[in-house]
Amino acid sequence: MARFSKVLRKTDIKKRLSVPTGFLSSLPSFNAGGHAVDFQAVHGSGRVWTFRCSNIRKKGHPKPVISKGWLAFVASKSLKGGDKVQFLKEKNEAGAKTHAYEIQAEKEIKIFGAVLGYAPII
């Protein structure tokens, strides 16, 4: 199972989600010569989200970001800096789920300014 997890920063919640280049290998291939690919991920609530991962650098070292659909997801889950998201890709097996990707969101829990952990957001 491919996995990508990130504690969100201001840019991640205001503009787009930067993702590690290693996550690209778990996504469908970019169209011939293209710089973006759309994919769907299901959240624990059962809602299916469509995201676009694109390489915002045309030359040199890739810098992948998730843009399309991302800000709507952030708003619907009321995500803020310090919260966490995870993308998971299930192995493709016979009888596997229709959506091979899953997205999870977790709210940062603080008491008196100290981070205690994270709670799942449904």
Side-chain angles (χ1 to χ4, degrees):
M1 170 187 337
R3 169 182 244 165
F4 153 58
S5 175
K6 183 173 186 181
V7 175
L8 301 175
R9 296 180 179 186
K10 185 177 178 179
T11 301
D12 296 322
I13 59 171
K14 299 280 184 191
K15 295 184 179 186
R16 59 186 175 253
L17 177 67
S18 296
V19 299
T21 55
F23 186 64
L24 289 175
S25 64
S26 70
L27 292 173
S29 301
F30 285 11
N31 294 334
H35 296 282
V37 64
D38 289 351
F39 69 100
Q40 293 184 321
V42 66
H43 183 258
S45 64
R47 180 165 175 189
V48 177
W49 294 87
T50 300
F51 297 106
R52 173 170 291 145
C53 183
S54 56
N55 178 12
I56 60 174
R57 287 190 186 141
K58 306 301 183 223
K59 296 180 182 177
H61 184 72
K63 183 177 180 186
V65 297
I66 294 177
S67 53
K68 176 184 166 188
W70 173 246
L71 293 179
F73 180 79
V74 167
S76 78
K77 302 301 174 193
S78 300
L79 296 176
K80 298 187 179 356
D83 293 342
K84 188 189 293 187
V85 293
Q86 291 186 64
F87 281 90
L88 301 101
K89 181 181 179 190
E90 304 294 327
K91 289 183 179 178
N92 290 333
E93 298 177 8
K97 293 187 254 179
T98 305
H99 304 285
Y101 300 91
E102 181 181 349
I103 185 171
Q104 300 173 352
E106 298 175 330
K107 194 59 99 177
E108 181 181 50
I109 300 172
K110 284 184 178 180
I111 295 184
F112 302 116
V115 177
L116 297 179
Y118 294 89
I121 300 172
I122 301 295

